[in-house]
Amino acid sequence: MEKKKIKIKKKWIIIAAVVVVLGGGGYYGYSYFKGKDAATEEMPMEKPSFPTATVEMGEVKKVIFSSGTVEAKAREEVKPEISGKVQRLLVKEGQSVKKGDVLFTVDSADAQLEIQKQELSILRAQKELNELKNKKDSIHSDKTGKVKEVLVKEGDPVTPDTVVAKLTSTDYLKISGKFSAYEAEQFRVGQQVKVFITTSLYYVDGVITDIDLVGKKEKGVGGVHNVDVLVKKPGALYVGDTGEVQYTDAQGTLYASQMATPFELPDEMEILAGTHGKIGKVNVEKDDDIKAGQLLFKMDMTSSDLELQEKELLLKESLLTMEQKKREIAKKQVEAPINGVITKLNVKEGETPSSGDPAVVIMDTTSVYFVAAVDEIDIPAIKLGQSVDVFVTAFGNKPFKGKVTELPKEGTKEDKSVRFAVKIELTDTKDMKHGMTGDCDIYVEQKENVKRLPINAVEFLEEGKGSVMVKDPGTGDPTPKEVAIGVEGTDFVEIVDGLKEGEEVLMMNGEGM
């Protein structure tokens, strides 16, 4: 930017001289012709015209220019740990691989199959061990009700999902009210309703537990939708008594079931074992009344401790065997140390890799960097995340978008200056190669929708101040005017104060600098 300012100052000196010469020459010519023929009519002096630039709203970008080189994120040379012939080559040049992928095997047989078998053995041992550790010594009820059925006996094996008993509630009765499709849509599960007992002519409170929105056809009434209601059983209410489900909404509209329906026992409740093992003792019988938390079954725990020790020992043995297999196979198969693309392949099946050259070269090009050599004068302005346009020599003027992702802690001395390697991550890198050269524009300051003028329309005086040429309202002559400037971009400069949008300034040098 300093070079640009020097050029602009030289421009103003030249312009001033031109204006003086033109002005003086015009006056001399005018005097000459007037003296030569005083009777002739006075001829007006033609003033020089200059192109203009208009103050407009737009973007102003300040950039730092730097050259640099394309570098891959990582590059690894792979060599086998043991010598021998390549038995299987599993990759080819140009192929993408992930870290840990097998590249080739050296004299390998059925090691992979053994590894898979051992993995299954470990999974089985871990599952059995977890089941033993989670075994409970008893099964308790998590519900209250009357035992309708006991489904297990002493010695029966159970899993956590085994249904060991079924209960019915003795404190509640269920009634299903029949409604039209529209009426059923007015209800919701958990809603409080009233049930009118038709035989005794009184109401009891109930709670909706289920709503059948599908419905079905019933003879004599057409399409009906059941709304199930659970009612706490009072002393004088029995199975078989009839009632009507009723509900009055906030607007006073009454919704009543289409007919009286009988009360029933609530749906069965299932008790799950919740553990692995064998039933040791059954402490409950059919028709027993039980409460939540009550002991129902005791588990047989006689062999649990010994079985647990055996399973733990079996798992340790499986893990040791697995580790041994992995160490054996690690020497026979060569894996990719990084994610990347195979750029060089120096091995073939049936041949022994050379001891000097790398067998495989892998390069990670997923995040190719452009490393810019930034001058020490410019490095304070470089920040992480700044946007960059990179121009790689091999691709001409095509800009590649990127951003600053890494700033160096120290620089490198080159000749009489110090340069800092700034890493720029690019988004489009599929055609780039490690080692390509180019240059870049790093956008260190950028403003949008601000007043701006072309850079060659402003003379830079000092930090934050500049001067432009405007027409004198009275004479029409070019007159300097001081303006406040902001961002000094490559093509435009921000006008902070002194000019309004739409105002014109003279371009004393129409071709720029």
Side-chain angles (χ1 to χ4, degrees):
M1 187 58 71
E2 290 300 323
K3 292 181 180 179
K4 188 182 293 292
K5 290 181 181 179
I6 292 171
K7 288 183 180 180
I8 292 174
K9 290 179 180 178
K10 288 181 179 178
K11 178 187 74 174
W12 284 106
I13 295 172
I14 293 171
I15 290 170
V18 170
V19 172
V20 171
V21 171
L22 289 175
Y27 180 79
Y28 173 76
Y30 169 72
S31 300
Y32 172 77
F33 286 110
K34 184 177 180 182
K36 183 177 181 181
D37 191 358
T40 62
E41 189 177 8
E42 182 177 342
M43 300 293 292
M45 181 181 66
E46 184 178 351
K47 297 181 180 181
S49 62
F50 300 97
T52 62
T54 304
V55 178
E56 62 180 7
M57 303 300 290
E59 184 181 57
V60 181
K61 294 180 178 180
K62 181 177 181 179
V63 303
I64 289 177
F65 173 83
S66 178
S67 59
T69 308
V70 174
E71 293 186 8
K73 186 175 182 180
R75 183 178 182 275
E76 290 285 345
E77 296 183 352
V78 182
K79 296 180 180 180
E81 292 186 16
I82 60 173
S83 61
K85 291 183 179 181
V86 175
Q87 185 179 35
R88 294 182 62 202
L89 182 60
L90 304 174
V91 293
K92 58 184 179 180
E93 198 164 299
Q95 179 178 333
S96 295
V97 295
K98 294 182 179 179
K99 182 179 179 179
D101 285 352
V102 179
L103 305 176
F104 59 90
T105 61
V106 180
D107 294 333
S108 178
D110 297 325
Q112 287 291 343
L113 181 59
E114 290 296 324
I115 287 288
Q116 292 176 3
K117 288 181 179 179
Q118 200 59 38
E119 285 177 343
L120 290 175
S121 176
I122 290 173
L123 288 174
R124 190 179 300 110
Q126 287 176 332
K127 180 177 179 295
E128 292 174 352
L129 184 59
N130 288 334
E131 290 176 356
L132 282 172
K133 288 182 176 179
N134 292 327
K135 283 180 66 173
K136 298 177 181 178
D137 61 358
S138 58
I139 300 174
H140 293 75
S141 175
D142 57 349
K143 301 173 179 67
T144 297
K146 182 185 289 291
V147 177
K148 183 177 181 181
E149 188 177 3
V150 178
L151 300 175
V152 293
K153 60 182 181 300
E154 291 184 7
D156 285 352
V158 295
T159 65
D161 295 328
T162 301
V163 179
V164 293
K166 291 183 178 180
L167 308 181
T168 58
S169 176
T170 57
D171 296 330
Y172 291 87
L173 292 177
K174 183 182 80 170
I175 185 170
S176 296
K178 297 183 182 299
F179 292 87
S180 67
Y182 171 77
E183 292 172 328
E185 291 176 352
Q186 310 308 310
F187 295 104
R188 67 182 187 277
V189 173
Q191 182 177 336
Q192 299 283 336
V193 294
K194 296 285 187 181
V195 179
F196 178 67
I197 311 302
T198 55
T199 56
S200 305
L201 303 180
Y202 70 95
Y203 287 90
V204 292
D205 294 325
V207 178
I208 295 176
T209 57
D210 188 44
I211 302 171
D212 176 19
L213 295 177
V214 177
K216 62 181 178 179
K217 291 277 190 178
E218 288 191 8
K219 187 176 180 179
V221 292
V224 295
H225 297 256
N226 286 341
V227 176
D228 292 343
V229 176
L230 195 65
V231 174
K232 188 171 179 61
K233 182 182 176 183
L237 189 62
Y238 303 94
V239 173
D241 287 345
T242 59
E244 295 178 357
V245 178
Q246 298 181 5
Y247 167 66
T248 303
D249 65 15
Q251 287 73 37
T253 303
L254 174 65
Y255 298 92
S257 54
Q258 298 177 4
M259 64 182 69
T261 51
F263 282 94
E264 304 171 341
L265 288 174
D267 295 333
E268 294 178 348
M269 299 176 287
E270 295 181 341
I271 304 295
L272 302 181
T275 187
H276 290 272
K278 290 183 180 181
I279 300 295
K281 184 179 180 181
V282 179
N283 291 343
V284 65
E285 295 180 356
K286 183 180 178 181
D287 295 330
D288 283 355
D289 290 324
I290 62 172
K291 296 182 179 180
Q294 183 174 330
L295 174 66
L296 303 181
F297 306 91
K298 289 192 67 70
M299 302 298 295
D300 183 0
M301 305 296 289
T302 54
S303 60
S304 293
D305 292 340
L306 180 60
E307 192 177 0
L308 181 62
Q309 293 176 8
E310 290 177 351
K311 294 297 182 183
E312 288 177 340
L313 181 60
L314 180 61
L315 179 59
K316 288 180 181 179
E317 289 177 349
S318 297
L319 290 171
L320 288 174
T321 303
M322 181 71 164
E323 185 63 29
Q324 182 181 355
K325 294 291 182 182
K326 284 185 175 181
R327 290 183 181 182
E328 290 175 1
I329 202 171
K331 297 179 181 180
K332 296 180 180 180
Q333 62 183 22
V334 180
E335 299 177 350
I338 60 171
N339 297 338
V341 176
I342 296 175
T343 58
K344 189 174 291 186
L345 194 61
N346 295 325
V347 292
K348 294 181 180 179
E349 289 186 359
E351 295 183 0
T352 301
S354 172
S355 58
D357 298 329
V360 182
V361 176
I362 302 175
M363 190 177 298
D364 184 356
T365 58
T366 56
S367 298
V368 167
Y369 292 115
F370 182 82
V371 181
V374 178
D375 191 274
E376 61 181 318
I377 296 176
D378 296 323
I379 196 65
I382 307 298
K383 308 294 181 186
L384 293 176
Q386 289 173 338
S387 59
V388 185
D389 283 339
V390 174
F391 302 89
V392 179
T393 305
F395 304 109
N397 293 326
K398 177 183 177 181
F400 292 87
K401 298 297 181 182
K403 64 179 179 179
V404 177
T405 57
E406 186 176 329
L407 297 175
K409 299 295 184 182
E410 57 183 50
T412 303
K413 190 170 184 180
E414 297 179 8
D415 297 329
K416 296 182 179 180
S417 63
V418 177
R419 296 190 178 276
F420 291 80
V422 175
K423 280 191 176 181
I424 299 164
E425 188 170 349
L426 304 173
T427 55
D428 181 11
T429 62
K430 60 181 181 298
D431 296 325
M432 291 190 186
K433 306 294 182 184
H434 179 82
M436 286 182 171
T437 60
D439 52 54
C440 68
D441 291 332
I442 304 175
Y443 294 96
V444 297
E445 194 170 0
Q446 182 174 349
K447 287 188 177 181
E448 297 181 356
N449 199 30
V450 296
K451 291 185 294 183
R452 69 179 187 179
L453 279 173
I455 196 76
N456 57 350
V458 181
E459 178 187 10
F460 296 90
L461 303 177
E462 59 183 70
E463 188 71 27
K465 291 184 180 181
S467 178
V468 297
M469 297 296 289
V470 298
K471 284 186 179 180
D472 185 283
T475 64
D477 294 331
T479 304
K481 182 178 182 179
E482 187 173 300
V483 293
I485 60 176
V487 178
E488 301 172 23
T490 306
D491 301 313
F492 296 94
V493 60
E494 178 191 4
I495 303 301
V496 177
D497 194 19
L499 291 172
K500 298 179 180 178
E501 181 184 1
E503 288 192 69
E504 292 185 337
V505 301
L506 299 175
M507 301 281 289
M508 303 302 293
N509 181 359
E511 298 180 356
M513 296 173 287

